[in-house]
Amino acid sequence: MSNTTENNKRIAKNTLLLYFRMLFTMAVSLYTSRVVLNTLGVEDFGIYNVVGGVVAMFGFLNSAMSSSTQRYITFELGKNNFDQLKKVFSTSVYIHAFISIVILILAETIGLWFLYNKMTIPMERMDAALWVYQGAIASTIVLIMSVPYNATIIAHEKMSAFAYISVLEVILKLLIVYLLLIGDFDKLKLYAALMFGIQVIIRLIYGRYCKKNFPETKLQQTKDWKQFKEMLEFAGWNLWGNCAAIAFTQGVNILLNLFFGPAVNAARGVAVQVQNAVNQFSLNFQTALNPQITKSYATGDYAYMHKLIFRSSKFTFFLLLFLSLPIQLETETILTIWLKNVPEHTVNFLRLILCVTLIDATANPLMISAAATGKVKLYQSVIGGILLAILPISYVALKLGGNPESVFIVHLSVCAIAFITRLFIIRPMIQLNLSNYFKEVILRCFAVTFVSLFLPTGAIYLTDDSLVGFVIVCLACMFSVSIAAYFLGFEKDEKQFINKKILSVINKIKR
């Protein structure tokens, strides 16, 4: 059996495992989000989102190093260099320990000052906000120290670990919801403390799994300063890109707080919850596929690497369109059914943020391929600079009297520019044919989107606002995207693969 066939089977198996994980976690997450919002109230829910965002701003240090760790562990595994793999893992643990200390110092000094002097939080809730803040710091440190272990699991493509441990995590979050409902304690303080407890439990489980299954995760002393320097240099350029990511997520969240208060943060928090749920579908597929992109570069198989990039970008777009189109057309109905109490601006926030998600998720394979090369200086400096502009432009828009939606319009516009720029930067790095990418990915995505709109648009005009009408529109969206993707989006061999899988399922059912 060829390596390509084995890789495809591994990708398919890992994708299915991650989808099992995602479907379960998303179903519970949608329920728990509703209960938490109603239990905490709009104001406390907004406080939890924005205060946790202050700590997340310091997480840009960790995000940069996470990309470096993932890349180097996967690269060395692809080259079957076990001795170097052990050095990379131990080096990454020491670096993450140092990052934890730096973030702790920054959060307890600059972050505390910002919380007390700049945030718009009612005085009577400041004590609870401090609980949330300290819990977020502790949770962040736990997550930072988990990065090398999680990166090792992904590099080995053992996605079953994520699937099973995530099920436990979700069950624990369900328990939190129950305790919130019965607990005779400040709900916001209790929620912050319990969420931290879950992070500690999950971290210990991941650590135990890695030590049992992967010998390279046994920590050893290392003085390989060349490796240390190389990983830090890679992370340093990623740091610039992650500063931009923090700016247009948590930075914009804080801007909304400064201009409009916690209620608007609650609206953004709800929109981001739905965005994350939808985005999980693409992340699961890409998490299963990304190690193969890095490993194919490590072995010099550019043709296979390009095929993976094309398919990852294209399939991700179709999958997200299948999920997001019903939400885009029936946003208000879905939010009302889900939450009952829908914060103002949530409908518009969600529609705009889903458009951003479509662009970013489609571009993600390009980011992975850039990281695979290890030469990210030009990529991160240019793309990071473009994305960093979201925050100042949003500030100007709000200062000139713009409404809360204006920051998401800015975000969407800048992301579209960044996507085009990525293509021209990536082209020489991995010998990518832009003409092929345009024909195989961009044109097919546009064609599928255009054709998919006809049937659901007609359904909207022909049905009323009843529950039956809502179901008809959603089914029309899913049917039209599926048919358009099959006939306009997939190549001949991809159609054959899908037909084979469908026949296999039908035969199993008949038996």
Side-chain angles (χ1 to χ4, degrees), residues 11 22 25 37 39 85 126 164 171 177 185 187-188 195 200 208 222 246 253 260 274 322 329 350 400 417 448 467 502:
I11 290 170
M22 179 271 306
T25 56
L37 174 60
T39 304
L85 180 61
M126 186 57 75
Y164 300 138
I171 292 171
V177 170
F185 195 66
K187 304 293 186 184
L188 187 54
M195 288 297 286
V200 173
R208 176 63 181 163
T222 177
I246 291 296
N253 196 25
F260 303 104
V274 179
F322 178 85
L329 297 179
L350 180 54
L400 293 174
I417 295 170
V448 170
L467 181 60
I502 293 173

Side-chain angles (χ1 to χ4, degrees), residues 146-374:
S146 298
V147 167
Y149 298 92
N150 291 1
T152 302
I153 294 172
I154 293 173
H156 281 275
E157 301 181 65
K158 300 293 184 181
M159 304 309 172
S160 58
F162 283 116
Y164 300 138
I165 296 173
S166 292
V167 169
L168 173 62
E169 184 176 359
V170 167
I171 292 171
L172 291 174
K173 287 182 178 178
L174 268 176
L175 180 61
I176 283 182
V177 170
Y178 176 71
L179 292 175
L180 278 179
L181 292 173
I182 67 170
D184 186 19
F185 195 66
D186 186 301
K187 304 293 186 184
L188 187 54
K189 292 180 180 179
L190 181 62
Y191 186 60
L194 292 174
M195 288 297 286
F196 166 65
I198 287 178
Q199 292 295 344
V200 173
I201 293 170
I202 297 303
R203 161 68 186 90
L204 292 173
I205 293 172
Y206 274 126
R208 176 63 181 163
Y209 175 85
C210 287
K211 288 183 184 299
K212 184 178 179 181
N213 292 279
F214 310 127
E216 69 270 20
T217 58
K218 183 179 180 181
L219 196 61
Q220 62 181 25
Q221 289 187 344
T222 177
K223 295 182 179 179
D224 191 343
W225 298 110
K226 181 181 178 182
Q227 182 69 63
F228 189 87
K229 180 183 176 183
E230 187 177 338
M231 290 180 70
L232 278 183
E233 185 177 349
F234 184 94
W237 287 109
N238 279 335
L239 181 64
W240 176 247
N242 282 288
C243 283
I246 291 296
F248 64 70
T249 53
Q250 303 306 329
V252 166
N253 196 25
I254 290 172
L255 268 185
L256 291 172
N257 176 264
L258 296 177
F259 278 88
F260 303 104
V264 172
N265 292 122
R268 180 191 174 276
V270 171
V272 170
Q273 290 250 356
V274 179
Q275 177 201 28
N276 290 338
V278 171
N279 203 29
Q280 281 300 314
F281 282 86
S282 65
L283 288 177
N284 286 326
F285 173 68
Q286 291 180 345
T287 298
L289 192 144
N290 288 343
Q292 287 295 324
I293 293 178
T294 302
K295 289 174 183 177
S296 60
Y297 178 82
T299 57
D301 191 351
Y302 287 99
Y304 183 58
M305 182 186 189
H306 296 163
K307 182 179 288 188
L308 289 173
I309 293 169
F310 288 3
R311 287 184 174 174
S312 182
S313 292
K314 185 173 61 175
F315 290 177
T316 296
F317 184 90
F318 297 154
L319 184 59
L320 288 182
L321 184 65
F322 178 85
L323 294 166
S324 64
L325 188 58
I327 300 173
Q328 291 278 18
L329 297 179
E330 294 287 348
T331 314
E332 194 166 352
T333 304
I334 291 171
L335 289 175
T336 302
I337 293 172
W338 173 35
L339 297 174
K340 294 183 180 178
N341 178 26
V342 182
E344 188 181 358
H345 301 290
T346 306
V347 172
N348 291 334
F349 283 5
L350 180 54
R351 284 173 172 161
L352 289 166
I353 209 168
L354 285 177
C355 291
V356 171
T357 300
L358 271 171
I359 295 174
D360 284 347
T362 307
N364 190 60
L366 300 174
M367 295 183 253
I368 298 301
S369 61
T373 68

Side-chain angles (χ1 to χ4, degrees), residues 58 102-117 133-134 137:
F58 297 114
V102 172
I103 289 179
L104 179 63
I105 294 170
L106 291 173
E108 295 291 4
T109 53
I110 298 171
L112 269 182
W113 171 84
F114 191 85
L115 175 67
Y116 279 110
N117 294 280
Y133 186 76
Q134 295 298 338
I137 294 173

